[in-house]
Structures are given as C-alpha cells and as structure tokens.
Amino acid sequence: MMNILVPIGTSSNANETLQYAVDFAAAFGAEIYVIEVFNATGKAGTLTNVTQKIAENAKERLKEIIAKVETKDVSIKIASFNGELKDGLKEIDKELGIDLIILAPRSNDIQEEYYLGQTSGTIIKRTNIPTLIVPKGTTYKAFKNVLVAFKSGILKRKRILDPLIEIKNKHNAIVNLLMVKTPGYSDDDLKINTALMDISSQLTFTENPTTYHGVLEHFQSKHPDLLCVFRRKRGFFKKLWEKSTISKSEFYAPVPVLVLSVKKD
C-alpha cells in the first residue's frame, strides 16, 4: 500500500481525517496525496487567470490543513484538479496509481441525517479504488477484528482483496465472514472465493432482506472494529446507484468501513 489519496472537502474537521490518514500511512509506510477539486468557468480570455487564482487559493487552504496535522515524517503532497470530481480521481489515479482513498462519511454542507454526502457518495459511486470511510472523531488504531459482509462470494479477481490482506497481515487481525442470503440469491452466490476463505477464521450464514440488515443483526455479536463490504453494481451501497447521498436510516456504521470494488476497471 504505497499511495493514499485524501480528498479534502469543505468540512471543518478535514484535518482530523487527514490525521487519521497520516497515522494509517505511517503504519504502512505509504505516501499521502491531498486533493481539492474545483470547477472554474469563465470567458476564454480570463479563464486561465481565474483557474490559476482558484488553484492557488486551494493550495493555500490545503497547506493550512496540513499545518494542523502531526505528519510523523509521512510524505504529504498536494494536488488540485479543475473539473468534475470523478474525472479528477481518474486523472490522479492514472498518473500516480492510488492504492487507497481515505475519507470522512459526510461533508458539513449535507444535513446531519446523511451518512454519505454528495462528495463522499460520489467517490464511492464513481471510483473503483478501494476506499476507507472513517467516522468523525476516530483515531487510528490497529484493526483486530474485521467483519466482511457480502451477499455473493464470487470475486473474479484475487487482487480485489489486497487491501484487506495487507490490513490482516499488518495487524494480525481476525477476519470473520458474514454471508447474507438475500431474496433471489442463486446457488452461484453461495460459492465463496477461495482467497477470501483462506484469510478468514469464521464463516456465518444468515438470511435477511439486504446485506445491511444482516450486518445489523450480527454487528453486536461480532464486535468488529472494521467492517468490509464490496462495491458491486447492485451491491451493498445499492441506493448510491440511484443517488449520491445515503441517509443514516439506510446505513450507518460506528466503525471504519473498507469498501472494495468488484466492478470492472
């Protein structure tokens, strides 16, 4: 895990998320890239100046946020992008190769009832990069108990699990699998990837309307300090395929959530 991307939104707590990312990066020997995406428009003759000014302001703001963080000798580099967020993520990933995105669940411009806001929701929806969603106020500590929840055990690429395997090996974590049979499941869904089975200590089967309902049922008994789910086209964050926000009534986790993608790159 070499390169970690931390998108900086409008939240006044952005430095807390960055501090978590720095602590995480220090443990894994990774570098951090902070990015702020803006969208400058104007007349052709003035657009260059406008873009440059906004980029300079964004850079200064990022420097102010970094100054509030104990860097622990972790390399923190600044990037900005003029355009749409999804394009910026693709561009920086293409240039640098991002191994993990670390972000907070919600920006402060979204009502409190939302777990994922417009920015964080768009990132989860639009990118295939593994993402770690860190609740506000969370300080980094070793993950000792990981719950992996899914409704289909089919994983077409072993490297999907790379971030989870790195976390397990680094922290000597126990990985418990929760297979949730949802309405309309097929026999193929019950075929669990061998690489996933190899890193697990326990497999539990449950039947629920959704994967999230299965997590709710078993969360207290498993006591995870990390929840891992898969980003499928119609998967755990299904609601995000209709909209970019998701309310806390639809999903909420008091612990960090690792989202791994099984979508095509």
Side-chain angles (χ1 to χ4, degrees):
M1 203 175 299
M2 299 301 295
N3 296 327
I4 296 174
L5 181 66
V6 183
I8 300 297
T10 58
S11 173
S12 59
N13 301 308
N15 60 298
E16 293 181 5
T17 304
L18 181 56
Q19 184 66 66
Y20 184 99
V22 166
D23 296 343
F24 187 100
F28 285 85
E31 293 186 342
I32 286 181
Y33 292 85
V34 292
I35 181 175
E36 181 151 21
V37 177
F38 59 91
N39 203 331
T41 58
K43 296 180 180 179
T46 61
L47 182 56
T48 300
N49 291 335
V50 170
T51 301
Q52 182 178 352
K53 185 64 176 177
I54 294 176
E56 289 175 354
N57 290 340
K59 187 175 182 179
E60 289 304 313
R61 178 173 175 270
L62 293 179
K63 286 182 177 179
E64 291 175 1
I65 293 172
I66 293 172
K68 298 177 182 179
V69 171
E70 183 184 350
T71 60
K72 300 184 177 180
D73 294 324
V74 172
S75 173
I76 303 177
K77 299 178 181 178
I78 293 175
S80 60
F81 183 82
N82 179 21
E84 297 295 329
L85 175 61
K86 58 184 178 66
D87 297 326
L89 292 173
K90 289 180 181 179
E91 188 70 24
I92 195 169
D93 184 35
K94 181 179 179 181
E95 180 179 348
L96 303 172
I98 299 301
D99 300 297
L100 182 70
I101 296 174
I102 294 181
L103 52 76
R106 184 187 61 85
S107 298
N108 65 350
D109 61 342
I110 298 295
Q111 298 177 48
E112 187 62 36
E113 69 261 24
Y114 287 102
Y115 173 71
L116 291 179
Q118 192 71 33
T119 300
S120 53
T122 298
I123 291 172
I124 294 294
K125 177 179 178 180
R126 297 294 185 183
T127 179
N128 292 335
I129 303 170
T131 303
L132 184 63
I133 307 171
V134 181
K136 287 184 178 182
T138 303
T139 56
Y140 173 75
K141 62 179 181 179
F143 298 120
K144 295 301 184 182
N145 190 351
V146 182
L147 177 62
V148 183
F150 53 93
K151 67 177 182 179
S152 172
I154 299 173
L155 303 176
K156 295 182 179 180
R157 296 168 295 146
K158 181 181 177 181
R159 64 186 178 89
I160 291 168
L161 297 174
D162 284 353
L164 177 60
I165 292 172
E166 285 194 55
I167 288 172
K168 170 184 165 52
N169 293 340
K170 182 68 178 179
H171 295 158
N172 195 27
I174 294 173
V175 177
N176 294 312
L177 306 183
L178 179 63
M179 169 76 203
V180 184
K181 298 179 183 178
T182 58
Y185 74 87
S186 67
D187 290 339
D188 284 340
D189 289 332
L190 302 180
K191 299 175 182 177
I192 301 174
N193 181 275
T194 54
L196 188 56
M197 289 295 297
D198 288 343
I199 65 172
S200 66
S201 300
Q202 184 182 44
L203 171 61
T204 301
F205 286 91
T206 185
E207 292 194 35
N208 294 93
T210 67
T211 310
Y212 178 45
H213 282 87
V215 170
L216 285 177
E217 180 184 349
H218 292 271
F219 193 89
Q220 293 301 324
S221 62
K222 302 299 183 183
H223 300 292
D225 45 32
L226 175 67
L227 172 63
C228 180
V229 298
F230 296 104
R231 179 195 291 112
R232 302 179 188 272
K233 188 172 182 180
R234 306 300 295 180
F236 190 82
F237 287 113
K238 179 179 177 180
K239 292 286 185 181
L240 289 179
W241 300 102
E242 285 83 37
K243 56 185 181 180
S244 291
T245 57
I246 186 164
S247 70
K248 289 181 179 177
S249 64
E250 294 166 327
F251 175 77
Y252 173 73
V255 299
V257 178
L258 178 64
V259 185
L260 303 179
S261 179
V262 300
K263 297 194 300 176
K264 293 181 179 180
D265 293 331

